[in-house]
Structures are given as structure tokens and as C-alpha cells.
Amino acid sequence: MLKVYQTLHHYHGPAHHQVVLSYELRKKARIKAQTETKQDIGFFLERGQVLQNGQMLEADNGEVVEIKSADELVTTAYSDDPLMFAKVCYHLGNRHTPLQIGEGWVRFQPDHVLQDLVELYGLRVEQHQGPFDPETGAYHSHLPGHSH
């Protein structure tokens, strides 16, 4: 079994392995999974981090493992009105729910209360299978145009 203990922050080469994981699994520090080629792999990572789509990690044998976000049931809400969209993102964020935000759309895990809220603001809503890659927050990510 491959064992992964650390993330690679500045690696841009090809990966030896890819692992497809749901958002719930990407939040865990200790998991067992399989690579896309069915090789067993164990993750033994620092608690509190969320593995991101495209993130590279190093296995104990020096091989590089790439994380891929699995398709899962998500709710996506769409708006052509920038002000209404901003208000919805504010209200959803105020509930401390993980959100993935794109141009004119916001995605969250299925929740009928949240869905009712975005529909109340007039957004078009659909549930579908797709990757869920929520924002990590300004304190845990490398924001474009900012250095640490």
C-alpha cells in the first residue's frame, strides 16, 4: 500500500497516480482509498486541511499522487443579476456552509432549507452530479495576486 504523509506545494510535473475522492473524504486526515489503477493508498495527513482538486501529494516511495474531485450530488444556483447573486452568497456564507462560487453560479451540498432560500431570491436551481470544490477561505488558500 502506498502511504501519503505530505502535500507538495510547488510541484508542477506529472503525477504517478490519481485518486478520485468526494468532498467528505477530502476533509479527512486519515483515509484509505484506491488509485484509479486500483492500487491501495493510505493518507496520513495533518488534521484540518481539505484536499483540493489537482493538489499533488508525495507518497512514502517518492511517487506523486494527484487528487481529483469526485462527481457527487450537488445543488447549483444560477443568477444573471450580480446584486441578487451577491446577496445570496452573503446569506449562504452567513450560515457557514461550504460554497463553491463561479461566475453567476454558487454550488452547495443538497439542503432543502438552502435551496428554498436561493429560490426565494429568484435564482434558478438544479440538483445534479458534479464536483464539489468549495472555497477554502482567505486564511487557508493562496489568493490570486497575494503572496504569503
Side-chain angles (χ1 to χ4, degrees):
M1 174 184 348
L2 287 174
K3 294 180 182 175
V4 174
Y5 297 99
Q6 65 180 350
T7 59
L8 297 173
H9 297 288
H10 300 288
Y11 181 83
H12 300 287
H16 298 95
H17 306 279
Q18 291 186 332
V19 178
V20 179
L21 299 171
S22 69
Y23 174 65
E24 290 303 317
L25 289 177
R26 289 184 284 124
K27 292 191 306 185
K28 296 183 179 206
R30 308 277 186 273
I31 59 170
K32 289 184 181 177
Q34 285 190 331
T35 66
E36 286 193 321
T37 58
K38 305 295 183 207
Q39 184 169 356
D40 290 333
I41 187 167
F43 292 87
F44 306 91
L45 302 169
E46 193 176 312
R47 294 191 190 286
Q49 66 177 322
V50 177
L51 296 173
Q52 301 296 312
N53 186 56
Q55 189 169 4
M56 302 290 195
L57 300 98
E58 185 175 8
D60 58 346
N61 65 358
E63 293 180 338
V64 175
V65 177
E66 181 179 9
I67 299 300
K68 293 294 203 181
S69 297
D71 282 349
E72 54 192 290
L73 185 61
V74 292
T75 302
T76 304
Y78 303 89
S79 178
D80 294 327
D81 180 338
L83 180 59
M84 200 58 60
F85 180 71
K87 287 180 179 184
V88 165
C89 288
Y90 169 81
H91 288 295
L92 290 171
N94 202 32
R95 286 164 174 73
H96 303 285
T97 187
L99 300 174
Q100 181 179 351
I101 302 170
E103 289 190 39
W105 59 268
V106 60
R107 181 173 292 163
F108 49 91
Q109 294 172 306
D111 179 308
H112 69 89
V113 172
L114 299 179
Q115 183 170 334
D116 289 348
L117 172 75
V118 298
E119 288 174 339
L120 181 68
Y121 277 88
L123 274 68
R124 182 174 55 83
V125 178
E126 67 178 43
Q127 283 195 348
H128 58 97
Q129 292 289 318
F132 186 55
D133 297 304
E135 295 291 321
T136 58
Y139 298 110
H140 297 97
S141 67
H142 296 280
L143 296 174
H146 294 78
S147 60
H148 293 273

